[in-house]
Amino acid sequence: MKDFLVFVDGSTLDEAHLACAEALAVRFHAHIDAVVAIELPPLSIAAVDPVAGVMMPFDDEARDAALKVSAGIQSSVEQRLKETPCAHAVSRVVEAREMLGHEFAAAARIHDLFITSLPSKSAENRAIKSSFDAVLTDGCCAILGLPLDGSCNPAFERVTIAWNGSKEASRAVAAAMPLIVQAREVVVLLVDQPLRRAGEDVRPGDDIVNHLNRHGVKATLSRVTSADLSISQAILTEVGRTKTQLLVIGAQAEGGLLQWLQGSIARETFAASQIPLLIAH
């Protein structure tokens, strides 16, 4: 991990993003790219030309105001990172929400990790949702999603991998490997997976444990049944029991974040997680 892309927008979540990025950058001698995201207000009805039937450009005053706000935030972030020992850069993107996502996805393709907050289903933090969705589906890098309360222990001494054998889970493990190999405890968690068949030597989950062993990781295999819980509730219950500090999980997101959030596992995990998630698609 050598390049971290960090979302900032002048909100109270910024410090959590920057602090986590700084801690990891010091640990891995990495570079921090903090990008200030300011969403331009949506076009009003008055901005649609009734004759030509086309959208008119953004109001100059609105754009100028957004640029002024973004410049102030950029200056504050630069001051915040002034004393960090890590190489860093601060830039800004002032665009409509759809273009914000496009800009972050393009930037993510040349970074190892995108650090932001986990999006919620509320109407708030729309820019986070847009950028998260775009990076997840089109950014080609993993996402470190922090809980909305800002809590994060970037030491990540206890890591749990939610494993189901999917390509998404595999990509998440590969992206998280630099963190996994430095963890003190690693648990591979399987929920409602089949048992070892009679006469066979290998159990489901043994393959990923063996893979981790070859990387020098002594992982513990944990196989649980969800019983009367949903799969996401079972995952989070186990995460709480083991006092996990980072959950590594794959995400199916071919249809974007809205479709992904319709799946109970992702929606419930996002909504209820009180620890960071490292996510890959």
Side-chain angles (χ1 to χ4, degrees):
M1 290 185 173
K2 293 297 182 182
D3 271 312
F4 298 140
L5 178 66
V6 185
F7 181 98
V8 291
D9 63 355
S11 72
T12 56
L13 299 173
D14 287 353
E15 178 55 30
H17 302 172
L18 293 169
C20 182
E22 187 175 23
L24 292 177
V26 168
R27 184 170 164 186
F28 291 102
H29 306 287
H31 185 275
I32 297 173
D33 275 327
V35 178
V36 177
I38 297 296
E39 178 186 348
L40 285 172
L43 287 171
S44 65
I45 296 176
V48 180
D49 188 325
V51 177
V54 296
M55 303 297 282
M56 301 298 288
F58 283 104
D59 181 80
D60 288 340
E61 290 186 5
R63 181 178 289 277
D64 289 344
L67 287 170
K68 184 176 181 180
V69 169
S70 67
I73 298 172
Q74 181 177 8
S75 178
S76 297
V77 174
E78 288 172 343
Q79 187 65 30
R80 162 67 177 79
L81 295 175
K82 187 176 181 180
E83 301 302 324
T84 183
C86 312
H88 61 275
V90 184
S91 58
R92 50 188 168 133
V93 177
V94 179
E95 291 287 355
R97 191 187 317 166
E98 296 77 10
M99 287 304 297
L100 280 180
H102 174 78
E103 294 288 342
F104 273 94
R109 295 175 196 139
I110 53 171
H111 288 80
D112 299 313
L113 193 66
F114 177 44
I115 300 175
T116 185
S117 291
L118 292 169
S120 67
K121 295 189 70 178
S122 70
E124 300 176 355
N125 302 322
R126 295 176 301 181
I128 285 180
K129 292 179 184 179
S130 177
S131 60
F132 190 104
D133 184 18
V135 172
L136 180 69
T137 57
D138 201 30
C140 304
C141 88
I143 300 175
L144 180 60
L146 307 183
L148 290 174
D149 64 4
S151 59
C152 175
N153 179 356
F156 299 142
E157 293 183 343
R158 296 186 181 91
V159 176
T160 291
I161 300 168
W163 183 254
N164 59 8
S166 67
K167 63 180 182 181
E168 292 83 7
S170 177
R171 288 170 180 164
V173 169
M177 193 62 77
L179 296 170
I180 292 172
V181 297
Q182 293 186 5
R184 183 162 54 87
E185 297 177 12
V186 177
V187 175
V188 176
L189 177 62
L190 280 72
V191 179
D192 292 343
Q193 295 293 308
L195 299 174
R196 177 179 62 81
R197 293 180 58 183
E200 293 185 351
D201 295 326
V202 179
R203 303 166 299 171
D206 282 343
D207 49 0
I208 182 62
V209 169
N210 291 336
H211 173 66
L212 292 170
N213 286 342
R214 296 183 190 107
H215 283 268
V217 178
K218 301 302 180 183
T220 301
L221 183 62
S222 178
R223 298 162 53 84
V224 302
T225 176
S226 59
D228 58 343
L229 302 174
S230 67
I231 292 179
S232 62
Q233 288 172 333
I235 291 172
L236 293 175
T237 298
E238 280 296 294
V239 161
R241 184 185 70 83
T242 59
K243 296 181 172 57
T244 288
Q245 297 167 339
L246 176 68
L247 175 62
V248 178
I249 188 169
Q252 296 179 349
E254 285 81 357
L257 184 61
L258 288 179
Q259 177 176 316
W260 186 35
L261 288 176
Q262 290 173 1
S264 62
I265 296 176
R267 181 181 64 243
E268 293 176 10
T269 304
F270 264 44
S273 181
Q274 297 179 351
I275 64 169
L277 273 57
L278 193 143
I279 309 150
H281 165 50

